[in-house]
Amino acid sequence: MNLKSLIWLTWRQHRWAISGVGTVALIAIWNLWSIESLRFAESSMPLGGFYSLIVQTAFGALVGAFWGAPLIARELEERTYFVAWGQDVTPVQWLRGKLIVLGGLAVLLAALIGNGDGYFGSVRTWNSFEGNSLVQIGYAALGLALGVLIGLLSRNVVTAIAVTTVLFVVVRIVLAVWVRPFYWPPARVIARWDDTPVVPDRGLELGHGYAGSDLQPVPARSDCLTAVNETSCMRRVDAAIGTYVDYQPVERVVWFQIAEFLVYALITAGLLAVVFRLMRNGGGWKPSRAHRRLGPPVPEPTPDLPAPETTATPEPDADPDVETGEASDPAPERVSEPAPGDQATSGTATAKTEG
């Protein structure tokens, strides 16, 4: 199957999902580009930029739910894979071709959506971390791969859409809250008691505490935790020399975006490897015997069993008298009685003779 035929087939099968998600993405792209071109009012966000930012945040989930989840789940649920995978292509070739088309379109739209953060003018901050083409490509690739795997395992479109959306949101939250801030060890600013630690402009604050004499964090004393002013108690007992704040400088945003893209790319590669392994081995899609029937279930014919062999009745033993040749008593002869009509005929004949 050549690329032109594959593109046409993919469009015919998924045209409504592609049109819906593509329309939403194009509207968001147009809003972000138009807002980005107006640089006279920085650090402000119009209403169109706010809605476009929501689309930018949820684009990976849309791709996974409406493009990835139904890709295999619909074929298995409607049992049309007999035609799709029974022609001149194998299931692996069929899936590879679909992913090339849908994945390429998702990557293109994601790269365009990432060119803008919803603000007037381009301002690099940690709050606009998702406004990057590489990051959006990673989100879209993860959503597509996750949806394909869930659809292959669930074999139901609605279930695959729901599970894909939930899992995608969970992965995004876990990586954004607990993993992203520590792609690189944070920087630290320490201040004495008379000063206050100040985070550089647009830096991402991660945590704060008390610094000991070796400039390392020290926990608060138990008696100071119950004091009215914890900081004054720590200073009075000389348990620390000041306070500190951990942060990530804004200059690291680009490197963190590259790191996040690599993390999502590795997860996507792992999910796709599992999908292709299942498709190649048939463990995830081969149905049972009853699931293969296209029409209503037909009872299986019972095999013809051979008729039971009849046992011949043994013949009675011959009369020993006959075998020895001895004569047996003759059976009495049976005299047949004349019928009534015969009696009348005899009487008539007798009468004529006498006359």
Side-chain angles (χ1 to χ4, degrees):
M1 182 179 293
N2 55 26
L3 182 60
K4 183 178 179 180
S5 301
L6 186 60
I7 294 175
W8 181 87
L9 178 62
T10 305
W11 167 254
R12 289 290 299 171
Q13 290 183 329
H14 308 279
R15 59 186 181 276
W16 296 114
I18 293 175
S19 300
V21 176
T23 301
V24 173
L26 291 177
I27 294 175
I29 291 169
W30 184 83
N31 283 333
L32 291 173
W33 281 10
S34 60
I35 293 171
E36 189 75 15
S37 62
L38 303 175
R39 301 178 180 275
F40 59 86
E42 293 186 359
S43 70
S44 60
M45 178 182 290
L47 188 61
F50 173 74
Y51 289 121
S52 300
L53 194 62
I54 294 177
V55 175
Q56 186 184 72
T57 305
F59 180 70
L62 294 177
V63 171
F66 296 104
W67 290 4
L71 187 62
I72 300 179
R74 179 175 289 114
E75 301 288 344
L76 297 177
E77 183 180 9
E78 298 178 357
R79 289 183 285 184
T80 56
Y81 59 93
F82 293 109
V83 179
W85 302 343
Q87 304 299 320
D88 57 343
V89 293
T90 64
V92 174
Q93 293 173 343
W94 177 90
L95 179 60
R96 186 187 298 118
K98 288 296 188 71
L99 289 179
I100 289 175
V101 177
L102 293 178
L105 184 58
V107 167
L108 177 61
L109 293 177
L112 296 177
I113 286 179
N115 286 326
D117 55 7
Y119 290 91
F120 285 118
S122 178
V123 180
R124 182 182 299 172
T125 61
W126 288 99
N127 294 330
S128 59
F129 187 87
E130 285 80 9
N132 180 267
S133 297
L134 280 180
V135 173
Q136 289 298 321
I137 290 174
Y139 294 163
L142 174 66
L144 184 62
L146 186 62
V148 171
L149 178 59
I150 299 301
L152 176 61
L153 297 178
S154 65
R155 303 185 180 187
N156 183 271
V157 176
V158 177
T159 303
I161 291 175
V163 175
T164 299
T165 304
V166 173
L167 289 182
F168 182 84
V169 172
V170 170
V171 172
R172 281 288 311 275
I173 292 176
V174 170
L175 292 180
V177 175
W178 287 286
V179 179
R180 180 192 298 170
F182 304 101
Y183 288 150
W184 192 263
R188 178 173 295 165
V189 55
I190 300 176
R192 298 285 179 173
W193 291 118
D194 297 333
D195 298 327
T196 302
V198 178
V199 176
D201 184 31
R202 292 176 293 168
L204 177 63
E205 183 176 344
L206 300 179
H208 58 84
Y210 300 104
S213 57
D214 56 352
L215 304 182
Q216 297 299 320
V218 294
R221 291 169 55 112
S222 57
D223 54 346
C224 293
L225 292 175
T226 57
V228 177
N229 192 325
E230 180 181 321
T231 303
S232 298
C233 177
M234 291 289 292
R235 182 177 184 179
R236 184 176 63 254
V237 299
D238 199 18
I241 64 171
T243 58
Y244 74 92
V245 174
D246 288 338
Y247 71 99
Q248 293 289 358
V250 71
E251 293 80 14
R252 298 180 180 177
V253 170
V254 176
W255 297 106
F256 274 54
Q257 289 171 337
I258 296 175
E260 181 138 328
F261 166 73
L262 294 177
V263 170
Y264 278 86
L266 290 176
I267 298 175
T268 301
L271 295 177
L272 291 179
V274 174
V275 170
F276 279 104
R277 183 178 180 85
L278 291 176
M279 292 289 288
R280 187 175 297 109
N281 296 337
W285 62 269
K286 281 189 176 179
S288 60
R289 183 183 298 271
H291 192 69
R292 291 194 188 103
R293 300 191 182 97
L294 295 177
V298 179
E300 296 184 359
T302 56
D304 296 334
L305 299 177
E309 297 181 357
T310 57
T311 305
T313 305
E315 297 180 355
D317 296 337
D319 193 348
D321 297 337
V322 176
E323 293 180 356
T324 55
E326 296 179 358
S328 58
D329 296 337
E333 296 182 359
R334 185 176 180 181
V335 180
S336 58
E337 297 179 357
D342 296 338
Q343 293 179 359
T345 305
S346 304
T348 304
T350 306
K352 289 180 179 183
T353 302
E354 291 177 356

